[in-house]
Structures are given as C-alpha cells and as structure tokens.
Amino acid sequence: MNILSLLIFSPLLFGLLIVVLPTSLRNLFRYITLIATLVQLVLSVWLYIHFKTGAAFAGVNHEGQYQYIEKVHWIGLNLGNMGKMQIDYFVGVDGISILMLMMSSVVMVIAALSSWEINKNHKGYFALFLLLDMAVTGVFCSLDFFLFYIFYELMLLPLYFLIGIWGGVRREYAAIKFFLFTLFGSVFMLLVMLGLYFSVKDPATGYHTFNIIQMMNPANYDKDSIFSILSHQTLFGFPARTVGFVVLFIAFAIKVPVVPLHTWLPDAHVEAPTPVSIILAGVLLKIGGYGIIRICLGIFPEVAISGAFWLGLLGVISILYGALNALAQRDLKKLIAYSSVSHMGFVLLGIASQTAEGISGAMMQMVSHGFLSAMLFYLVGVIYNRVHNRDIYSFRGLGTLLPKYTVFVMIAFFASLGLPGFSAFIGEAFSLLGAFNSHVFNGFLPTWMAVCGSVGILLSAAYFLWTLQRMFFGEIHLKGGEIWKLALTDLGRREMIALLPLALLTLALGVMPSLAFDKINDSVLALIQFIHTK
Amino acid sequence: MSMLSSFLLISAGLFCIGIFIVLSKRNAIQILIGIELMINAAILNLVAFGKYDNLANSGQVFALFAIVLAAAAVAVALAIILNVYRQYKTIDPAKVERLKD
Amino acid sequence: METTLSHTDIITIQLAIAAVAAPFVVFLLNFFLVPKRSKVSGMLSGAAIGASLVLALLIFFRVWNQPALHVQQVWFTIGNTQIRLGIWLNNLSVLMLLLVSAIALPVHIYSIAYMKGDERYTRYFTYLSFFCFAMLALVVMDNLLLLYAFWELVGFASYLLIGFWFTREKAVQANKKAFIMNRIGDIALLTGIMLVYTHYHTFDLVTLFGAHPIKTTREVWVTIAGLCFLMGAIAKSAQFPLHTWLPDAMEGPTSVSALIHAATMVAAGIFLLGRVYPIFDSTVLTTIAVIGCFTAFMAATIALTQTDLKRILAYSTISQLGYMMMAMGIGAYSSALFHLATHAFFKCLLFLAAGVIIHEMQHLKHKHHLQIDTQDINNMGGLRKIMPVTFITCCVAALALIGFPLTAGCLSKDGILIQGFAWAEGKSWAYSIIPIGAVLTSLLTAFYIGRLMFKVFFGESRLEGISTDSEPEAHEENPLLYLPMILLALGSLFPLFSLDPLKFENAWIVKGFAGFAGKAESAGELIPLLISALSVGVVFIAYTVYVKQKLQWLKFKGVLFNISYNQWYIDSFYNGVIVKAMVGLSRAVAWFDTYVIDGVVKLVAGIGLVLSRVSAWIDKYLIDGFLNALTYFVKQTGNFIRGFQTGRVQGYLFTMLIIVLALYILKTFI
C-alpha cells in the first residue's frame, strides 16, 4: 500500500468508523479523531525523515524525481472520436509538498485536541473533521489536476457545515459567504482546467491528460490548442495564457487570501469554532500559497515572470492593509484573522520575487504561520471557552490572573511579530531579502516593495504589543467582574499539551531552519531554474 | 301566368305564413297550426305537381300520405303539449327553456 | 571550523562561547527550575555573570591588539547560499565583552539587594540573565543576520525588563513604546543589511568590514545603506528623533535602567556604528555628526529643567550618547569607544545611586506618611548627611560626567572635543558649529548635573517637618548596595583607563583603535583646560542658584523653560500626531474594508439576489402570465359561445332559417 495513499485515506477510514458507531459514544469520537490525526502525524513524520534530498530528487517538473509516487489509471472513458479521457490517480511529493504535509498533520492534531470543546452533534462534527482532513492531505499530494480539483472542492463542503452548524452568532452568513466566495474562484478554475486538458497530450499514451507535471512542459501542448505557448490564442482580447493564469491565480488568491479578495476571512474565522479556525488559518490558507507555486508558477511561468510586479504589489498591499486593519480591531479573533492576511502577504511577496531566498522564505513563512496561527487561535479559544467574550477591551491585567497563559501568549505574539529565535523571523526576513534581491537578480521587483513590506513588521509589532498591553498588563479589570475572575482558570493539562509542541516547533525552526530548508532547497532551485528557462 | 305557377305561389305563401306563425307565436297550439299550414302548403305543392306524374296519380297518393302524417304528427304533438302543460303549467315555448346553458 | 587556528585560539573561542552561554544557561535554570521568590536565582545570575567577566578578562588579554580571531560554521543553506554563524573576536568585540560583563556584575550584586522582597524576584533575574546573554552574543557575532537577531533580542529583553512591574500602567505603556520605536530602527537596519547583502552577497562582517574592508563606491545605495544603519543606531541609542522611549523606560527597576539604559544596550547603537564603520561615506558621516551633536545639545537643554531624578539621568544618557555618535561622525572612532566605556561606568553609578536615593525617599515617605513623588528632586535635599557613601560616589560620577580633570570622563571627553575642533579645521565655518555645540553642551552638562547634586544632596530637606540631621543612616548600610557603587566610582577615575591623566591619546583604548583614528590634534590641551575652568564656573553658578538660593532671576519661567520642560514637545507631537494618525489610519482602513471592499462583495451578493427576484417576477408575471392569458382567452371564448344556447326552440329555428337562407343566397348569387 502506497504510504501517501494511506496518509490521505486513513482519516476517511476513521471517519467511516465514526459514522457507523452509535451516536451516544460521544467521548469515543474525540479519541478516535485524535488517534486518526496522530496516525497521520506519525506517517508524515516517517515520510519527512525518509525524504531524500539532492538534485536528483528535486521534483517540480520531472515526474521521475517525485517521491512516494502512486500512479494508477483511474478513469478511462472512451469518448468516441474525441479520444479517450485519461484521468489518473496520481499522487507524489517533492520538496515543496513534503513540508506542507508535515505542517498540516501537526495542525490537525492540535485542532483535534482543540475539538474537545464541541458540545453538540459530535458524530457529525468528527466525521466532517476527518473528511476535511482527508481532503486537505489529498490536495497537497495530488499531481493530477482532476484529482487536485476533486480534493479542493471536497474541502469546501465539510467546512461549510462545520462553520454553519458549530459556529458563532453569525455562522450561517459566514459559512455561506466563505463557501460561495471560494466556489466562485474554483468554478473558473474548472474551466481553465478543462482548457488545459484539451491542450495537453500525454506523450506516453497520446491522449489528453490532466497530469499537472506534463502540463508544465510546453512540448506536450497541441500546436493550435488554446493554452499552447506557440499558438498565441486570445480569449476576450487577452492572450489565452494570461487569462488562464489570472483565473487560476484568482482562485488561489481567494484562498491565500490576497487583498481585495479577503473579506470572507474575518467573518469565517470569527464565526468558526476554535478548531475550525485553527484548520482554516493553519492549513487552508497555505493551500492557496501551494496552489500558486505548484500550479500558477508551474504551468504558466512566463506569465508569472511578466506579472511579477503585480504579484509583488498585491503582496505588499496585503501586508500593509492587513496590518492596518488588525490595528483597528476590537475583537481578538478578528485581529488575528487580519494578521493572517498580513503574514500571508509576505508569502506572496516572496513568491513574486522568484529568487531562491524569496521562495524559500515564503515556504518557511507558510510553515511558520501554520504553527503560529494554530497557536494564536487556540489561545483565543482558551479565553472564549471560559467567558464567551473576545473583546479586547473587556479584559485588563490578565497577566496577573493567568500567568502560564500569558507566557504562551507572549511567545505566540512575539514569534508572530518576527522576533529572532522563532521561525517567523526567518520566513519574513528571507521573503523580504528575496524581494530585495530580485531587483538585482532578475529585475522583477523594485526595491521599495521590500521596504514597504518591512513596514509590515513594524505594524505587527504595534498591534500585537498594543493588544498585550491592553489585555494582559495593568491592573485586573474584567467586564464580567467576579464571575469572570472565577471562570478564568489558567491553562489545563490538555491545553498545555496542545500549546507546548507548537511553541517548541516554532522555536526549533527558528534556531535550526535547516530542518525545513534542507528538504526544500533542491525543489526551490529546480523551480527557479524551470521558470527561468522559459 | 300558368296554372301551375299560381298554385305554387299560393303554396309558397301558405308556407311563409306557416313559418311566420311558427317563429312568432307564443302558444304551442298556434305553432302546431303553423306547422300544419306548412305541411298543407307542401301537400298543395304535391297536388299541383300531380299533373306531371310518372305513375298514376302518384301526386295525389303522396298528398294523402302527407295528410295522414300530418294528422299523426298533430296527435303526437298534442300529446307532447299536454305533457309539457302538465310539467310547466304553460305552453309558451319561450318559457320552456330548461335546456338553456 | 577553519583548521588554521592554533590551539590557544581554539581555547579562546571556547572561552568566548562559554562567556556568552553562561548567562543563557542561568536564564533557562531560572525560568524553569528555580522557584518564584528564591534567592538562588540572584546568586545564580550573579555567578554566571561573574564567570563571564573572568572569561572576558582572559579573552581580552589574549586578543587585545592581537590579530583578530574568526571562526564560523554553516547554519543552514537556502537555495544555493550558505548562511553561516560564527564568532569574530577583534579589539571591538573583546572590549565590549569585557565592558558589558564588568558593568553587569556590579549591577547584579546591587540587584540582589535592591529587588529583595519583590514578588517576582526570580523572574527578574531570568530576564536579566537573558539580557546579558543577548548582549554578549551581540558583540561577538560575526555576521549581519545574527547581529540583527541579537539586536532584536536585546530589545526584547529591554521590553521585558521595562515592563517588569507590569501592573503599572505607565510601565506597560513605556515598554510598548520602547519596542515599537526600536522596531522602526530595526526596519532600517534590516533594509541596510539587505542592501549590503544584495550587493556583496554575504552577511559576513569579517569579509565586509574586517581587516580588509570593502571598498565602497560612490553610489547612491551606499549612502542609503549607511543611513539605514545609522537609523538603526539612532533608535537603539535613543538619538533624535527616536529618543523619546528612553525617558519613559525609566519606569523599569532602577538597576535595569543602570545596566541597560545607561551602559550597555543603548551603547549597542554606537557599537553597531563601530562595527560597520567602513560603509559610511562622507555624507553619512556628516549626518551622524550633526545628529549626534544636535541630540547632545537638545537633551542637555531638556535635562536642565526636569524634576524627576531618573529622567534627568536619562536625558543625560541621551546627551552623552550624542557625544559618542558625534565622535563617530567626525572620525574620532577611538574616542567614541573610549567615551562609551567611561560613560558606562559613571552613568551606571549615577543610576545605582539614584536607586538608593529613591529607596531612601520611599523609606521616608512610609515613615512619615507623606504623599510625595519619591523621584522628584524638589522633594529632596540635604541627603548628604544621611547617605555619605552615596554622596561621595555620586560626586565622583558627577565630576566624571562634567569632565573634571583626574577622572576618566575627562580623558574621553577631551578626546572628542579636541578631535572635534581638529575635524572642523580647514572646513567651512558651518562645520565648526559641531565642536562649538559640543562645548556648549559640555557647559550645560555641568549645570544640570550640578543642579541635580545640589538639589539632592545639599542644603536642607525640602520635605515638611523633616530634618536630615535627625534622620538615621539610610538604607545604604547594605554592602551589596554600596560595594558595587564604590567599585564603579573607582572605575570612573583615570587609573583604570590611562596611567597618564592628561593626555587622552595614551589611554589604552585609544591606542587599541589607532587604525581608525582621526586627524591629529592641533589646538591641543588648551581647549579642555578652558572648558574645565568654565565648567567649574558653571557649577559655581548652579551652587549659587540652588543652594544659596540667590540669583533667582535665573529661574525664569518663560518660553525657553517651557520648551525645555516639555521635552521640546517632541513626545507630545509623537503621541498627539503620529500615534493618533496611525490609529486613525487604521480605523479608516478598517472602515474601508468593511464598507468598500466587503461592500463590493455584498454588492455582488445583492445583485445576485436582485437578479433572482427579477427573474422570479418575470417567471411569475410574464411567462406564467402568458399561459394564464391564454387560458383566459379560451375561457372567454367558451363563455361567449355558450350564450347561444338560450333554450328557446323558436330562437333555434329562426337561426337555422337565417343560415339556410344565407347559404342559399351565397351559393346561388356568389
């Protein structure tokens, strides 16, 4: 059994187990889910440790260099004179995906630990949770566009229900907004996907194919097909390839999220229950970044090159805009949601620079943000669970009341704002460095972009420290008075078990970035080489 | 004007009178009279054309037939009118409009 | 590790690593293991820093004026680039190493007594050890990226320590302000680092600025990079315009102020300038000199009117740092570092003394149930009678600050002034503003420190009903408090720095940095003598005003006084304009997000809904309406035809007649 397939489908098996068990066994579902995520974690750690590095295993556009490949002929519908429809079940990892898998496994465990607080419809919740888990893992592994699309869409459904049923006050609004917004992007992606399908022929079998790696190779395109580089077709007056890139980019940009397509995020994050927020922020946003790297940069590199300025500009706007918005928020969860927008702006900036430092920095930032946002949302959840209030101005002086909690909050806040010693510093510094370098190296991004991006570091210090000062320091003054004082107990054992690994991981990555970089370096170099030979 | 034409003219006149009586009278018996008149007009026609018979006296025989039929018709009609009177207490055909939609 | 190192060199490097690591180990111990209020924490921290001091001494004697030592190894690889981490021990590194540990040790000893009884005693020493670790690491790091990393960590330690008493509103406002203002400098520093990396493809300080430094070209980016590094230093060393965090940072414990905000962390900015010195071109150097001189002058004028004891010292620090920066700018590299070293001693001492004074004032406050601000010098007076040791050591420090002969401060300040005049020689008249400004500042320094001394120690107590003659001897009987002060006082005198009290060039520090020395002096010893004489005169004036209470007209409360007292309104400007603007901007952006961007999304959703309603209307009234109309038509037709069934036989007959006639006519005639 291919280990990747095991990794992808094991949550589904556990989910089925939950579905068949009677509804009354509430506690058992929690543990089953925890075990499922732990199993996944063990598998991905195994994958990570045995992942081979070196130029021969770079992957990206060489199918043979991917690892743990499973390619099974799945759908082969004979369409008469249109040829044979070839859809394969094709999964594999390279340097870019392995890190994402690792990170999403860890985040899922934390989310499973956080799911203890769910108090209604446990069976449905945990079944949907595991379905989501499967979909997310599948997205990171799949190398066939159709399969990718299936998993991508499959993510939306459980999330809609998870937000809409177990969420906060405005949950239906948030769920529908999230669902429709994301769907809007992905339906157009479907069109481009089909366009690509009809443009590309698998050299081995001669049929059209959805294989992403083969879509990266311009030699596989039919002469007059719509997305061929040589044919210079136009769609609505624009070059077809540009349209394809833009449409795909919009689909992933909604997920990243890039300003101005980000407005679903504050609502979704705020209304979702804590574990769902953790998954949303920790994993889903990265799918957008991963999609941009794998699909947009991979399949339409020349458009990415010519549009690098705009991508970088969007990144800088996201950084500054997200940070300014975060500064103005009263709701702690909304503040963290906007800070996510800001931090993902660094990712986009790094990707746009198309230098080794930039893309590596962007990937590090994705991993780092995955851990840190999971930590941040977990911490918000701790307070919310106790007093059902997230307003910053309702609390003062929590440092005296909850010392252990404050320590973790300070770790999370300072790590997020880029204090050296933690992973976000490496991610942000190298994204900016890449953007800076780009001016000299490949002339894509002007230097002022990196400088503006670094102002984002200043703003993140501003809003995080202001929140620390408002909520945790000073004399104790709680809106709910004595009742809240009694309710606000310090971190329990389960919460510490969830938070401590995250803190240690971000510290480890900050002190030893080679843990991440060693795996991705070859792939990043291969990617850049691939992009620049277009 | 020939003899025949004058007979036909009279019979036509009788017929029209008969139609007029049928269409305009408010009494069923009077309508019957009108019908009789129409039949008699037809009989007169038959007798008038008796001159040109192929068979011997066929016109006259046909006329006798018609007279008998007329009598039978009147008998039946009177029976119907009697029943109608019993049912509707009137013999004004304008008042018997149960088949109206 | 390079294999060309000799055995002794390897030992030196290991000693350096140990010196940096010792406080870190204690940090971890104090954080995880030692209980909250245990005395062990203080002893551990003190022991660690003592060990660091010993090691620093050993290293110093091995490396000073010897060839520099540099080892590195690969930290991680990114793309094709290897990022290294390593240690660089040259004169500057070992001087700083020694200085930091030498100042930190007395402060640790002092803190053991000063923080006694505090709720979070252990946590204090945790933070203090962390700071020492970060600072020591900062001075030995060999590449820009790690320098930046520890630069930020030092700032973080400062944040933790300023806000140590985090239930105090002012303290937590202050530490937030400090961190954010330092971040502004950090951004600039990062930009500078990135610029350097982009052009030279290395972070390595030795390659860039070591024995064979890079030759900078006359390009714009060099100037910009230099300005960026300068900005970083400005933020960290509290120069104009990023100086307002330092007076607020006095909210932290006084021992922290002594160590971090007087002697070591704020000196990191000057240290940075020293490290990257070859990158500065003449434009940037002039800018450095101007900013330094201006800051020195400005801070001195503010210090003249402040009433909070620690604030006066804070502004004094800013002013002296301005001197150091100015010295860097005019090329007096060695004098700047010399002044850094001497300033560390006497300023630290002044702060420690301030701590003792404030403790005594608190003691008096409790004893006599007064409601006073214990840090206000207007509430003090005559304290020399009850705190003689403090008084004497303070005098030594004050004399060093003024630059009185026979103190170490005199030597370092002389160096700066003399070299200042030498630098301005031969240039246009505008350049002489700088040394003249320095001289003026020097006189102002004399005045404000004289004012402080006279108001605090001389005369009679300004507190109601208290006579200092009758008060018992103060707190200072604790040797842990006064021994460090005495040690620092001894360090403020000339013998520690030079066996020749008159010529600054003979100080061993100056000799150690001769390679960077500026021009030779010409007007020589005349200037410092003149200044010393003038300073004495100024001090006498201060004496007259504050002790003898004459010359009251000098204390005018006019516009200049207000400007000085309100710190040139800079802080009010920042709070009122910049902070409000940022908050306002963020609110505007949030409004924009909710109503404009999300408004577009909602508009799209709304359009969808409207379209769906329109479509429903069309469906109901148009399409369905058409069908309904059809049926209506059919129905009406039926109704019409029905009318023909009147039930009247005669009617039927009549109709039949008409139709037959009509047909007959049609057939026959048409």
Side-chain angles (χ1 to χ4, degrees), chain B:
Chain B
M1 191 130 73
S2 66
M3 194 63 98
L4 184 63
S5 333
S6 37
F7 272 107
L8 293 181
L9 212 61
I10 290 174
S11 112
L14 273 176
F15 191 80
C16 289
I17 291 170
I19 281 187
F20 173 72
I21 292 173
V22 165
L23 290 179
S24 65
K25 289 297 177 195
R26 293 258 172 229
N27 194 324
I29 310 267
Q30 285 174 330
I31 292 176
L32 213 53
I33 293 171
I35 292 172
E36 271 302 297
L37 259 165
M38 284 199 284
I39 294 176
N40 284 331
I43 291 172
L44 192 61
N45 244 7
L46 282 168
V47 170
F49 279 111
K51 194 172 178 211
Y52 303 98
D53 284 338
N54 281 343
L55 296 173
N57 303 315
S58 54
Q60 317 236 353
V61 173
F62 206 159
L64 278 172
F65 246 106
I67 290 169
V68 170
L69 282 172
V74 166
V76 172
L78 279 172
I80 291 174
I81 290 173
L82 210 60
N83 271 312
V84 166
Y85 182 71
R86 275 203 199 134
Q87 186 78 10
Y88 294 98
K89 302 290 183 254
T90 176
I91 53 173
D92 181 352
K95 293 217 166 41
V96 181
E97 42 177 28
R98 284 282 285 271
L99 278 178
K100 179 180 170 148
D101 197 358

Side-chain angles (χ1 to χ4, degrees), chain C residues 23 59 70 120 217 309 326 331 375 440 444 458 481 604 626 650 655:
Chain C
I59 298 168
H70 179 215
R120 294 161 68 227
T217 52
L309 179 59
M326 184 183 81
Q375 294 183 298
L440 275 173
L444 289 171
F458 285 82
L481 287 176
V604 170
F626 173 70
Q650 285 166 314
T655 318

Side-chain angles (χ1 to χ4, degrees), chain A residues 138-195:
Chain A
V139 169
F140 284 130
C141 298
S142 51
L143 293 171
D144 181 282
F145 212 148
F146 195 83
L147 191 66
F148 178 90
Y149 190 77
I150 289 181
F151 282 124
Y152 192 83
E153 294 296 292
L154 203 54
M155 277 185 328
L156 292 184
L157 189 75
L159 267 173
Y160 173 74
F161 286 114
L162 286 171
I163 299 177
I165 301 180
W166 288 275
V169 182
R170 285 164 79 224
R171 54 185 183 269
E172 293 96 357
Y173 169 74
I176 270 224
K177 191 171 184 181
F178 161 75
F179 189 81
L180 288 178
F181 214 135
T182 318
L183 199 64
F184 169 79
S186 44
V187 291
F188 294 111
M189 179 162 81
L190 181 65
L191 288 177
V192 175
M193 183 177 95
L194 289 173

Side-chain angles (χ1 to χ4, degrees), chain C residues 110-125:
Chain C
Y110 179 93
S111 299
I112 292 178
Y114 189 75
M115 298 299 290
K116 194 171 69 170
D118 192 284
E119 258 288 314
R120 294 161 68 227
Y121 189 78
T122 307
R123 197 45 79 82
Y124 172 82
F125 281 103

